[in-house]
Amino acid sequence: MAKLYFRYSTMGAGKSLDLLKTAHNYEERKKKVFLFTSDLDNRYGKKKITSRLGISRDANTFNEENDLYKMVHEHIVVNNEELTCVLVDEAQFLTKEQVWQLTDIVDQLNIVVIAYGLRSDYQGEPFEGSTYLMTLADRIEELKTICEFGDKASMNMRLLNGEPIFQGEQVQIGGNESYLPVCRKYFKKQKQKQKTNG
């Protein structure tokens, strides 16, 4: 029976790499996959899922207007192709409605969906997509990474010129130059330090 999986982590934990590895595993067994990524993230080119290790694959992009169920269903009909798995990168950018559409892909088309994304933003606030994936997924898995200060990283600290910042828009696309995965304790310490000094 197909299921909806949500695999979350902080920045830099290998979400895209795990997604690409999963796609490769399915394809090695002659199974067809369908890849999605947000059109907001074009750091490595449009319509690409790219790991920081440099491995890359073409993908279908979504924005908040797209009906993901419709896109997958049309792909099946047009290509006369049986899909085994739908893989979604940058799943935090999904809307509530799009997460429900992923459940329809699972429940109506009997296709496994594995969504990868951040659980929260740089202020510790949840993303809409992640909130509904945490609510609706059949299985939730954390991809772990460590804070450079020793503990398990659970927060995404935004940087500007190497210094932590806690103000600004929720979405700012960036990599190691813009975000540092840190533990909650260090995150709170830096936030308090900025409040005291600011």
Side-chain angles (χ1 to χ4, degrees), residues 10-159:
T10 59
M11 299 282 290
K15 293 180 296 300
S16 298
L17 180 63
D18 194 80
L19 183 154
L20 294 169
K21 179 187 75 168
T22 301
H24 177 72
N25 288 343
Y26 272 102
E27 290 169 338
E28 268 197 325
R29 285 151 190 82
K30 308 290 187 258
K31 306 292 186 188
K32 299 286 186 181
V33 297
F34 189 92
L35 278 60
F36 274 121
T37 190
S38 169
D39 69 357
L40 291 173
D41 188 358
N42 58 10
R43 285 174 290 166
Y44 304 103
K46 293 186 179 208
K47 298 189 173 190
K48 293 268 186 207
I49 296 174
T50 303
S51 158
R52 291 173 196 224
L53 292 181
I55 302 165
S56 182
R57 286 275 304 264
D58 290 336
N60 302 280
T61 57
F62 68 86
N63 61 45
E64 60 185 22
E65 304 298 322
N66 294 126
D67 183 325
L68 305 189
Y69 175 87
K70 186 176 177 185
M71 289 172 74
V72 169
H73 188 263
E74 283 179 0
H75 175 84
I76 293 167
V77 171
V78 169
N79 296 284
N80 194 24
E81 186 173 81
E82 187 177 327
L83 292 175
T84 303
C85 183
V86 170
L87 295 157
V88 184
D89 200 25
E90 304 292 351
Q92 69 271 10
F93 298 135
L94 295 167
T95 64
K96 173 184 175 179
E97 186 58 38
Q98 287 170 328
V99 176
W100 279 106
Q101 291 161 10
L102 294 181
T103 69
D104 291 338
I105 293 168
V106 172
D107 299 337
Q108 295 176 31
L109 301 178
N110 198 34
I111 298 171
V112 173
V113 176
I114 308 173
Y116 291 81
L118 302 173
R119 185 172 56 171
S120 60
D121 67 15
Y122 77 104
Q123 293 183 340
E125 295 295 327
F127 285 98
E128 180 178 341
S130 304
T131 298
Y132 286 96
L133 283 163
M134 295 293 277
T135 303
L136 298 171
D138 298 298
R139 186 156 176 192
I140 299 165
E141 302 166 347
E142 182 180 16
L143 302 176
K144 296 182 176 79
T145 190
I146 59 163
C147 171
E148 67 178 79
F149 310 100
D151 291 329
K152 180 177 79 77
S154 60
M155 310 296 287
N156 302 295
M157 194 162 64
R158 186 178 286 173
L159 305 174

